[in-house]
Amino acid sequence: MPNFVSVIFDFINQAGLILGLFFVVILNNKRNKPQNRRANVILSILIVILSLSIVHSLLAGSNIGFFEASPYRLKEPFILLVGPFLFFYVMELTNKNMQYKKAADHCIPFILYYVIIIPVYFGKNPYSIFLNENSKIITQILWVFIIGQYSYYYFLIIRILDIHRSVIETEYSASDNLRLSWVSLFMKVFLGLLMVILLILPLLIHTDNSTHPDKMITLALSIAIFILGYKGLMQKEIFSVQIPENDDEKAKLGKQLDSVNNEQNITQNITNPDLIIQVKNYIAEKKPYLNEQLTLTLLAGELKIPRNQLSYIINNDLGESFYSLINKYRIEEVKMKISDPANNNYTILSLAYDAGFPSKSSFNSLFKKYTGLTPTKYRENLTEMTSK
């Protein structure tokens, strides 16, 4: 049984390596959208990094002297690049104007590892002997560092995704092609990899045999390649938002997202009650929400008031995000259309499209969220009530 399990592990790892190379070729196909090209390049590098991290396990035990010359695993330096390049990838998706001048800073741990360890591969000298004799403790220190590094990038990326989500809800009334729900799956994979490392760390500390921990990590890396490659191919073009690199600026942006526009300043915190009524009446009477591409900026232009002032009214005086406010109006529009006998021959989905919803999935989820019922169940209940 152990031999059979080992064969299965090796097969999955080989498949991960082969598919990784395949995904890299497909992702960089010239037919891909130019908007996605830079993101695809970064994702390709990330997949190559994961593939290189698998190489040692596949070649361990072979007759290739270079791989047998050191007690250090080649995947250990490469695995230090997984967090940084996942960060670069998410930043590229959420910020098309991202500058990579400081990218090298994120790669310093990887560079330092090679500077420290590379002498062990070339001849015997006091330093290389020291590295060989203390390989276990150095490897343990490295994996503890990796856990810290992965934790840092996990929370950093989650923060970026939260800011991105907040900006979407502040500016957009429809978010089907804007949200990063599939990137959240990437983060679950990344978290899973972190959990695997945490689980195998005691084995690395208490045993000299690294075969089983090595196979567990490479299996996790292979699964990561499957998911990253497939989801990367399925990605859609999404909205970009400027994410500052400075931590203080990030915190400031997070607090201001729902009420401040960087282009203009609000001169007073107390809104004219007449202006609030004007906004509510305009939305109710003119029904701008019927436009599925409605944004806060477009609505501010129609109302002829500053965008930031409209944002303040919606967030503070009406107590809603722009996204939730507009979609509540759309839900009410659908409910009104369903209750009209003249629309009995129309499907609920067609009524939803007429009300400004861009897709079936967003309509169904929002309708149930705000009414507690599925659209079909709502219509059935309404029919039963009117027939009595």
Side-chain angles (χ1 to χ4, degrees), residues 288-303:
Y289 52 82
L290 297 182
N291 175 11
E292 68 177 50
Q293 297 181 343
L294 181 68
T295 64
L296 180 70
T297 303
L298 286 174
L299 183 59
E302 293 178 12
L303 286 163

Side-chain angles (χ1 to χ4, degrees), residues 88-152:
F88 297 155
Y89 182 60
V90 173
M91 287 293 286
E92 180 61 32
L93 290 176
T94 58
N95 177 15
K96 297 301 180 191
N97 297 317
M98 179 187 172
Q99 301 296 319
Y100 291 92
K101 295 179 180 178
K102 296 183 179 180
D105 294 346
H106 296 271
C107 301
I108 288 176
F110 168 78
I111 296 170
L112 282 177
Y113 181 92
Y114 260 123
V115 170
I116 293 171
I117 298 301
I118 201 67
V120 82
Y121 291 98
F122 301 100
K124 288 187 177 182
N125 54 67
Y127 180 65
S128 65
I129 293 172
F130 170 81
L131 291 176
N132 275 294
E133 291 177 348
N134 296 278
S135 61
K136 183 176 180 180
I137 185 64
I138 293 173
T139 298
Q140 291 169 0
I141 293 172
L142 173 66
W143 282 101
V144 171
F145 176 81
I146 289 171
I147 290 172
Q149 186 207 43
Y150 275 39
S151 299
Y152 168 76

Side-chain angles (χ1 to χ4, degrees), residues 43 89 182 185-186 226-235:
L43 180 58
Y89 182 60
W182 54 273
L185 177 61
F186 282 21
F226 297 149
I227 296 175
L228 288 173
Y230 175 75
K231 285 294 182 180
L233 290 175
M234 299 295 109
Q235 66 177 305

Side-chain angles (χ1 to χ4, degrees), residues 14 28 61 74 86 97 100 133 143 156 166 201 252 255 260 288 331:
Q14 290 170 14
N28 291 280
L74 288 183
L86 184 57
N97 297 317
Y100 291 92
E133 291 177 348
W143 282 101
L156 176 62
S166 297
L201 187 59
K252 183 178 179 181
K255 294 177 181 179
V260 176
I331 293 294

Side-chain angles (χ1 to χ4, degrees), residues 258-276 278-279 296 299-300 303-318:
D258 291 332
S259 61
V260 176
N261 180 339
N262 291 331
E263 297 177 358
Q264 304 179 43
N265 293 316
I266 297 175
T267 56
Q268 58 182 10
N269 291 332
I270 301 176
T271 309
N272 186 331
D274 293 337
L275 191 55
I276 299 173
Q278 177 189 340
V279 171
L296 180 70
L299 183 59
L303 286 163
K304 295 181 173 57
I305 62 175
R307 176 196 176 280
N308 63 316
Q309 189 169 20
L310 176 59
S311 177
Y312 184 87
I313 291 171
I314 292 173
N315 286 280
N316 294 276
D317 296 312
L318 301 183

